[in-house]
Structures are given as C-alpha cells and as structure tokens.
Amino acid sequence: MERFTTLQRKEGLARGIEYHDRCKEEYMKHQREALKKYRKTPKGRATKNYHTAKRRAAKYQQTPRWANEERIKEIYSFSSKEVNVDHIIPLIHPLVCGLHCEDNLKPIPAKENLKKHNKFYPMSYEHEFLR
C-alpha cells in the first residue's frame, strides 16, 4: 500500500477544493441565467410582483406613527451595492414581527445581509429582554 506524504495530501486537497469551487461557480452561473429567464415569463413576473407587494405592505403596516422618517431616510442613504440596510428583527418571520423604525435598522455589508436572509435567533436577543 502506497503512503502519501503530507505535501501530496495537501496538493490533492487543494486540487479538490479548486474543483469544488469551479463546479459551484458554474452551477451558480447556470442558476442565475435560469432565474433571469424565469423572471421574464408571465408566471415569473407575477411571482416577483407578489413578493414585492407583500414586502412593501409589510414595511408600510409595520412602520409605527412615532418612527422618525428623517432618520430612516438617513439610514437608507448609506445603502449601495456593497452595503444593505438590514432589519435587525425581520419584518416577516414565523416567530417575530419586527418594526420598520430607526432602532431596528442598521447598514451592513451586502454579503452578510444575504447570508443572514430572514434568520432570527431569540437567544441572541435574550439580554435585551431581561432588562
């Protein structure tokens, strides 16, 4: 039985990682193209319109009267392709319903916001509720 040196194992692992990354990149490219095509179909447009309207309605309904509109606009002025404005407690979630107000918004890097998506971890806010 042939034994591999540590260097050979590392090289094999690096090739495996490189192959995985290349395959993942190709898959994601294909998925983006498929989604682009789907969004041009009547069903795709209807689905996108539905989700956009649902999100807009949630923001409107969950904006309290006491919310500082000027401060909210100021926070949104930081948004760009690289920086998104995140609702700390999500507006739409099975466990909680966050408000659309200045205290629930924070600018974060877009990649981090996409990773977070619609997640909410009650234990991470435990210290807030125990005051």
Side-chain angles (χ1 to χ4, degrees):
M1 185 169 159
E2 185 180 341
R3 294 189 138 210
F4 293 102
T5 65
T6 305
L7 181 61
Q8 288 171 325
R9 275 191 231 119
K10 285 182 181 178
E11 287 172 354
L13 182 61
R15 280 195 308 273
I17 290 171
E18 183 182 313
Y19 175 76
H20 176 267
D21 289 346
R22 194 171 55 247
C23 289
K24 185 177 179 183
E25 191 175 307
E26 287 174 21
Y27 172 78
M28 294 305 291
K29 182 180 177 186
H30 174 58
Q31 288 298 101
R32 279 191 297 271
E33 289 171 5
L35 184 60
K36 241 185 225 182
K37 285 181 186 176
Y38 174 72
R39 285 199 176 140
K40 290 181 181 177
T41 66
K43 186 177 179 185
R45 282 194 302 268
T47 302
K48 178 67 176 161
N49 290 343
Y50 166 77
H51 289 291
T52 302
K54 187 177 175 185
R55 174 99 175 142
R56 193 178 322 116
K59 263 172 105 171
Y60 178 75
Q61 290 172 348
Q62 291 164 242
T63 303
R65 289 186 189 148
W66 47 262
N68 185 342
E69 293 290 330
E70 292 302 315
R71 180 73 178 117
I72 292 172
K73 285 179 184 174
E74 183 182 321
I75 293 169
Y76 272 98
S77 70
F78 293 112
S79 67
S80 67
K81 280 190 174 185
E82 294 83 27
V83 177
N84 290 350
V85 176
D86 175 48
H87 286 87
I88 300 165
I89 299 175
L91 295 178
I92 302 170
H93 192 276
L95 295 177
V96 294
C97 176
L99 294 176
H100 182 65
C101 63
E102 65 276 6
D103 295 329
N104 194 31
L105 298 173
K106 71 174 179 182
I108 63 172
K111 284 187 178 183
E112 190 178 317
N113 196 24
L114 291 173
K115 259 192 246 176
K116 180 187 175 224
H117 189 58
N118 194 32
K119 294 181 181 84
F120 174 74
Y121 302 105
M123 299 309 283
S124 63
Y125 297 97
E126 189 175 312
H127 67 280
E128 298 285 329
F129 301 123
L130 294 177
R131 287 184 190 178

